[in-house]
Amino acid sequence: MTFSLIARCATTGAFGYAAATSNIGVGARLCALAAGVGGVLTQHRTDPRLAPRGVALLQSGCDARHTIAALVASTPDHGWRQLAAIDAQGGTAHFHGERVKPARGAAHGPDVVAIGNILANDQVPDAMVAAFQGAGGALADRLLVALAAGEAAGGEHGPVVSAALRIVTDQDFPYADLRVDRAADPITTLAGLWADYAPWADEFVLRALTPDAARGG
């Protein structure tokens, strides 16, 4: 009952993910990202420990494929898990445990991988990757276009109430980390939050790194 994607911007090297689900709090449990390294998604019967563990593997030099293999080998409950990873070169990998409920699916493209479970149909991830590849703009904009495309392609079986977006660039804190919970239309609401946040995103980084040069309070 979750559809998500994780991606890399080939121009800037930024990483990001976007996700939507019919459970509350998707942004708190689903993903870990590290600047210059990559990221990992964990969903279905989510184990929030797996995504940070996967990022540590990426930091140690594992690529996406070996990271997913190591995560699967490390947990006896992998049958319940759905995982995806992207590495610093934009390589991707995914895993569906045998107990992940259908419809389930995954799709890969250059610098992007999308996964989903308990979907309306197994073509939702393909629609997300196609939309991401066809979209212009910043990485966050492309991720949000892809998330909306996943919903338009059928989304999941139940009504979506929660959505999240996170971007990391070249710092050890997120460039953006936005979440919507218990909303009637969380994907549209999330896009609206990003539209409000985007003009301030660089300023918030400036306030952290060189506060004397920042504007505002």
Side-chain angles (χ1 to χ4, degrees):
M1 52 188 169
T2 303
F3 51 102
S4 62
L5 74 162
I6 189 167
R8 171 181 175 267
C9 175
T11 302
T12 67
F15 291 95
Y17 91 97
T21 187
S22 56
N23 277 335
I24 195 169
V26 66
R29 296 175 283 110
L30 187 77
C31 187
L33 297 168
V37 173
V40 176
L41 296 169
T42 173
Q43 58 192 48
H44 194 250
R45 295 202 177 174
T46 307
D47 182 350
R49 299 171 295 181
L50 295 180
R53 191 183 301 167
V55 166
L57 288 164
L58 291 169
Q59 289 171 322
S60 76
C62 292
D63 63 13
R65 183 172 61 87
H66 288 100
T67 293
I68 292 297
L71 288 176
V72 172
S74 74
T75 173
D77 298 312
H78 57 261
W80 290 108
R81 314 304 184 194
Q82 188 177 46
L83 306 167
I86 189 166
D87 58 37
Q89 288 70 47
T92 58
H94 79 276
F95 170 77
H96 301 315
E98 70 274 8
R99 304 183 80 173
V100 174
K101 295 180 180 179
R104 65 189 189 191
H108 299 255
D111 296 306
V112 61
V113 56
I115 55 174
N117 61 80
I118 317 182
L119 299 170
N121 60 78
D122 62 6
Q123 297 304 303
V124 170
D126 293 281
M128 296 167 71
V129 166
F132 178 84
Q133 292 178 314
L139 179 60
D141 298 308
R142 298 174 69 195
L143 288 166
L144 289 167
V145 166
L147 197 63
E151 185 175 47
E156 60 172 271
H157 279 302
V160 171
V161 303
S162 174
L165 169 76
R166 188 183 306 153
I167 304 292
V168 297
T169 54
D170 56 353
Q171 302 300 323
D172 58 1
F173 56 86
Y175 182 76
D177 190 357
L178 304 176
R179 305 176 187 183
V180 175
D181 291 302
R182 288 203 173 168
D185 188 354
I187 295 174
T188 300
T189 303
L190 183 64
L193 286 178
W194 169 245
D196 289 342
Y197 190 90
W200 287 92
D202 289 336
E203 167 68 12
F204 292 147
V205 175
L206 192 64
R207 290 181 184 186
L209 301 181
T210 53
D212 287 342
R215 60 187 170 91

